Amino acid sequence: YTRFRVYAPTLANYSADALESCLSQIQASSSHYDGAMTSLPSVSIDRPSARTVRSSIVKPHSRVQSQAFQETPRSVPPQVGTHLTETNCSSCDTSEPVKKRPKVYIRQTDTLETPVSENSSQSLPQNPPQDSTTNLRPNSTTGNASGISIDYEKNSQPLPFPIRPGKTVCRKVGQPVRSNACDKATPRRDVQIKLHVLEAPALAPQYQNGTPADFFPWAGNHPEDALNDQTIKTGYYDKVHVAQNEMNSAHTSIWSSLKHKSGLQILSSLFVSTFDQRQANGTITTHCTFKPPPRVTLTDTKREAWLRDLANPLIPLRRLSRTIPHGIKGKALLEQCLAKNIPNSRAVWLAKCVGANELRACKRKGNGGAFGYGGEKKWIKDWTISAEQFVEAIVESCGDKCWKDKMSYGLKLVAHLYSERLLSQDQYLTWVMTSFHGSDLDRLPIWLLVLQIHWHEFQKSRHFGRRLAEGLLEQLKMVNDGSTGAALAPLRQQLATLVRSLAASAPDCFIISYIWPKYGSTLESCADNQDPQFRILLLQISERNLHLSRMITPDAFNINYTTRERLIDMLDDMLDNNPTGFDIIQTSESCIEVTNAAELLVPTLLEWCSTIYRIGLERSYIAVRLLRRWGNSGIDLDQSILAFISPDRYVAGLHQATLHKVLAELMRSRHFSISRYLQWLMARGNLTKPKMFSHCEHDNIDLLCELPLSGLPEHVVNLRQILLKSMGVSVWEEKRTISSAKNELSHRSLGFFPQEGPTGHASSKLDVRALKGTVKANLSRWIRSHVSAYYDIRDGSKCNSREAVAHKTDQTSMTLDQFLALRCIFEDLEDYSMLADVLDILLNCDNVYILRAIIDTINYHFKVFAAIGAASGLFRSSILRLEELHFQKSLGKPLIVSLIDLGSRLPGTGGDVRRLRRTLLLHQPGSLMAACSPVSDHVADALQCADLTLADELEQLLSSGTSMDKHTLSRLFDIIMQRLEKAWYDTSLSEPTVDLYDLLPRLRSFDVDAFDKLIDAWLGRLLARDGRPELFTIIFPLVCTKSLTLSTVVENAISFVEGHRNDLSAARIAQESLSLFLKEKGGHEPSGSDRGYRYYTEQERTLRTCCSHVVGFLCHVIRGCIHMNYATQETARAIIASAGCKRLIQRLVVQNDTAIDVLGQSFGLQATVVQASNALDSMLDPTNISKSGNENDLSKVLRIANDFNVPICLLKIKALLYSSQDDRKSALGDVEAIVEALIQKPSTFQTSMWTRLLSKLPNKSAMKLHDMASERLFSALPDDLGKVSAPSLNCVHLNKHVMNALLHAIGATVHSVAEEEQSPLASKLENKISSLQYHASETRLEDRAGAGLDDFLFYVDVSLRLLAIYHAILQHPKLSQAVLASIVSSLSLLLVHYGLSSHPTLSFRIFDTIAVLSDFLSDEARRQCKLTFRDQHKLQDSRVQFLLGYSNKAEDAWLRSVSISAGPSSSPLPTSNQAPFVNLTCPLFPLRRWEMMQDATPIMGENDTSLSLGLFGTRKAVL
């Protein structure tokens, strides 16, 4: 730009005309500057005399200080002035040379908007007064000639000079206006004189290096200092004016040299030589002079000052690079950057300086080569840990003061370090993922923010993407399972959004088959109804995971259940794992979720409830309620039931009576049409030829005799009678049976029912259980009607005698014996629906003993009543009745205890049970003689009464106090037990008036712990005593009175048996203890039979809680069949052969899988015992349908196995295999029989039932079976497919079913593989897969159409299934990672083979298999796979890159070091037509990330970069 300078000494010699002309030129020349003035005002100069003008111009001391004036105390004539019309800011250079240079003080009334520099002492007024005329003259009022006064006069006066362009800086809104020197104007004597210092103005433009532009203080020797006419007129220019002749064309000068032929050659030579000279002189050839900034030990003060300078972006880094403070490194470095708020770029520069010095220090220690590389890696690892700790500290400070700013700065800084590759990326990402997995809900949003910073890095590889998917699903599951309030709604929404984003961009990250059952529902919860594409994607992910789940889980082939098996398992779990009742609604919905096909639901349920391999009457009522619910929902029950009972469909192992009972209940509720059944029966025909009926047809005809006739139309009843007559069944005989049965029941009810008909027809030998269903239904309705009518008639005349007891009640009321007889009748009729109604009616009676018996009945048949749905209603009615009888405290305690037991088994009755317990406290022992007196005070008086019996004395004694010490308790306990023990042997003793067994629970109420210890010690002595009665006789009344629990007896007995394992006494105790669970209701119970149901209820509870002890008793009894004396053996064999023992074994093996192995071993070791073998056979095949000539036992079991007898079949197989373990030949024969069966009938063994059987084999047998099956399968897989002939391929193709069966057998027995055999198996599998890959690489698969290609694909499928089976072996820590890496590499090459592109399903399976196997690779193995595929195979397939986590675009792939060397040639000298052989290598050139920094040295050098510029042939820049 053009600088305009006016010098006072020279201007003084010019006239006013010349000055006016000069100002006009200045005004015209400065009009092109945009920022100076929008319009220049007119300037007029008054013409004073020469003397006045000469003295009014002052020479400035600097060329750029246009607003700093130095004046002499000379006066300025008032004629010289400037005219202000419109301007915002102005500047005027008016000064003259003086001896001393005092400051200029300007008097002003306000401040202008335009700021001035620090060296300026001029400030024009912002708000001028109304007088707009300004005069520039000496300040005469202050007496100071150096002051300048501004007067506002007329608008015609000239304007001041404009300020220099670039000096005007608009002040920001709100910025305070700098105060001017004139505000602090003082007399001259107060002015402090300072030395003349040349300082550049702050607003002067600057170069990049910081030096001010065009700053040349006046010294007289600069070209600008010499003024001439041209300078005055046009100003001074930096650029030299070009001569006038150069402004024209150069044609004249050079045409003479270019017009001949060699002109262009001369010109090109000139240019070439110019370029050569520039290349030679401009190329950088000096060596690299880069060195990291040195570190110096500084004091704390200097270090803090240096850090503050680093935080100031105005201070250049080259100035700071002279000395880097020593001791700032690691986490402290990052904390200092955070504390000083150092900009990120400068903080990274500091980290690079420190890191480069640290890494060079590692090399200077002498550890070169691999050791130096290891030390460098260790330092980077430690530095990454420091960064991790820094982020952790920031996260932990969440909530502190300014935590948001700290969080923002810290995360940005660490992210900047990561992007500069100054951190170990894998280590840092692994730490982020681990922290995210372990984060709680309070810190979760912060870690989500950190995740999103590196979101794309996680998606690049399967290794991190899979962990990201697992972490998101785990946190989302935690949020969903937690509070459902609105507080977590934003977090839940954010997690769901991230899950959807990851699933859309990288769905392969969600291939997590081993945990899919846990997180599958969580992923489905993220589905948005508005996004159908995501639902399709979610369905695809689910299908892939489910396919792998059936292959990769530890029980791979055991969970591949069919729909039927899943229904059966669901029903069994509902029956066995719900001791508090059955949720029919939930069970129904769960079954329909499995399948809603009626043709599968109804037959499976009917077979489950009526199979002989399940125990429990409750199954029938559960099935009835489920079928009724399904019928109400629209399922056609009639068609499904008729198809099930059709003779064309034979189902083995059904209990027809149970099935007919279920159908009768459905007919009673009109859910199964009787009319349709009769029509279906007639349509089948053959009703007139009973001898030609098959077994199934007989069962269907028998159903006619089970139909309930109540409420049926007359024509339906007549049609039934016609059908019965056509089959030769007498209807009159049925009526006579009903009449005879009523008379029998009237006799058994002890007179409660009136006699009907002549008494001679009554038969005492009538078996009520054997009656037909129609007769039973008639009798049940008859009994219920009588009971209902009895209480309806006698409702007003009920016995009100509250003191009546069981056997002395009023004649108008039912007695306890009558109730017990009535209950026994209903149990024989097996009509528990009617029994529930009768019990509800009988709850209206006043007899407390009957009420207690009713509660005990409900407790005993709790599962049946719960299945019916009547248990809760009966309990509520009992509670209401108890509230009515609450005043009978002396008789109400046993009833309250029974109600507490019942309420404890029902869900949702906690409040009622607590109230009952509080009521029970009112019945604790109280004193009528002395309040709160101990029992010990009355012992002497009570025992001295000679008129009372022992029972009366004890009764009086227990009623005499409220407390008892342990000594008295022990004394009374011994007295009672001695009397009971004496009664065992002496039956002539008279019965006490108060039962001694009832005194024990009253005695226990004084001190429960002390009483339990006493009875536990007594029980231990009892077990060791010889000559005592049977254990059941002794224990039964104690359990009925709740003085002793059956679990206590079992625990003491098992301890005794284990302590005397080979003793006769132990065998006897085991037999007696087992007999405690074999006793069934209806036998010969001891005294207290009215409370006998309490014992059987306790028996049921103990079987559920002490199952392992009962199995132990069974094993001891089985062992006693051989190893004891003859009497003990006979007793043991009788117990094993009993029906109760068979039912117990069946129940144990169905409910407890661990009992199968223990009992199978015991039965196998005692295989010579006929009773043990027959017991298993009768349980497995009660109908003897499997008997055949010379059939092997194992083959028989394999033939009759079905979905319901799997536990019993498994028990039989284990017994057979355990029995042959000592005989190696026999053991191998059994295993070979299984293998041969696999080969002969492969389709039979491809069911989940068989895999479940094989998976439960003994370990040794399973190992032998696995070895044989795997050997057969591996031998069927050829090592070289190229050498396999077509016939053999066709043969293998025919045996694919055999190979599938062998795969199932291997999968079921893989758990038995020994650890030393795992490596050989993995090596075999690796060889097979490698041969398949080699064959695929050497041949064109697309050319092998037909059987050859199909066989190859089948072999690949078999190999993938083997990998799934042996996945547990492949992830074993001791397995060589080289084998696993080889398998992954071979599968990866198969995946990218172009021949498999036409088989997308197989490609997906290969991809998913690699994905799961790659999760087991170690870091080193994965790194080797990366190098192999990236450098050797150079695979660019995105799928393999994702699985192994590598990329062909390496970090420094853009930079390579090219080296050229002459290679060997075939001829010693190259001919003219043969170019010399050149070996060109381009290895990667790694960059030193820590040394890539700017301004590393204080002085800029020619080649001071970390990467030498000489490597690139860099030329110097021409500025």
Side-chain angles (χ1 to χ4, degrees), residues 26-47:
I26 292 173
Q27 178 179 357
S29 301
S30 62
S31 62
H32 66 279
Y33 295 104
D34 297 333
M37 300 178 62
T38 56
S39 61
L40 286 175
S42 59
V43 179
S44 62
I45 300 179
D46 296 336
R47 301 172 180 266

Side-chain angles (χ1 to χ4, degrees), residues 637-673:
L637 296 181
D638 294 343
Q639 183 178 357
S640 302
I641 292 174
L642 292 176
F644 180 77
I645 64 176
S646 173
D648 301 334
R649 176 177 179 174
Y650 173 73
V651 181
L654 289 183
H655 192 266
Q656 293 296 329
T658 305
L659 177 62
H660 294 166
K661 180 180 178 180
V662 171
L663 298 180
E665 289 289 338
L666 293 174
M667 292 177 181
R668 179 187 296 179
S669 59
R670 301 297 186 266
H671 286 85
F672 179 43
S673 175

Side-chain angles (χ1 to χ4, degrees), residues 1115-1299:
C1115 294
H1116 281 87
V1117 172
I1118 296 172
R1119 191 181 302 113
C1121 293
I1122 294 179
H1123 299 290
M1124 297 300 169
N1125 56 20
Y1126 178 77
T1128 305
Q1129 292 181 13
E1130 289 299 321
T1131 305
R1133 294 181 180 185
I1135 292 175
I1136 295 300
S1138 63
C1141 184
K1142 296 176 184 177
R1143 285 192 293 269
L1144 179 62
I1145 294 174
Q1146 184 175 349
R1147 176 175 178 175
L1148 290 174
V1149 298
V1150 170
Q1151 296 180 358
N1152 192 354
D1153 293 337
T1154 58
I1156 298 176
D1157 189 40
V1158 178
L1159 292 177
Q1161 185 176 2
S1162 298
F1163 277 106
L1165 296 178
Q1166 313 300 329
T1168 57
V1169 181
V1170 179
Q1171 289 81 1
S1173 179
N1174 292 339
L1176 292 179
D1177 292 339
S1178 61
M1179 285 189 296
L1180 187 61
D1181 187 16
T1183 59
N1184 295 326
I1185 61 174
S1186 62
K1187 280 192 174 181
S1188 59
N1190 298 323
E1191 188 177 11
N1192 186 13
D1193 290 338
L1194 189 58
S1195 301
K1196 185 193 303 183
V1197 174
L1198 298 179
R1199 181 165 54 84
I1200 66 175
N1202 58 36
D1203 294 328
F1204 293 98
N1205 61 4
V1206 169
I1208 304 173
C1209 289
L1210 186 57
L1211 179 62
K1212 180 65 176 179
I1213 292 175
K1214 286 196 173 186
L1216 292 173
L1217 294 176
Y1218 274 117
S1219 64
S1220 60
Q1221 280 188 355
D1222 295 336
D1223 187 0
R1224 179 175 179 82
K1225 183 177 180 180
S1226 177
L1228 290 176
D1230 291 336
V1231 176
E1232 287 179 355
I1234 298 178
V1235 176
E1236 291 300 328
L1238 286 171
I1239 296 175
Q1240 293 176 3
K1241 298 180 180 180
S1243 59
T1244 306
F1245 286 82
Q1246 295 183 39
T1247 60
S1248 60
M1249 178 195 68
W1250 268 110
T1251 55
R1252 292 168 64 186
L1253 282 175
L1254 298 179
S1255 64
K1256 300 298 183 180
L1257 292 178
N1259 196 44
K1260 292 183 179 180
S1261 301
M1263 187 185 305
K1264 295 173 184 176
L1265 178 60
H1266 174 272
D1267 294 341
M1268 289 185 179
S1270 60
E1271 184 179 357
R1272 294 283 186 95
L1273 184 62
F1274 278 111
S1275 62
L1277 292 174
D1279 294 331
D1280 189 359
L1281 290 178
K1283 298 180 180 180
V1284 179
S1285 60
S1288 61
L1289 283 176
N1290 294 332
C1291 181
V1292 173
H1293 178 69
L1294 295 176
N1295 292 332
K1296 287 182 179 180
H1297 295 292
V1298 177
M1299 298 180 71

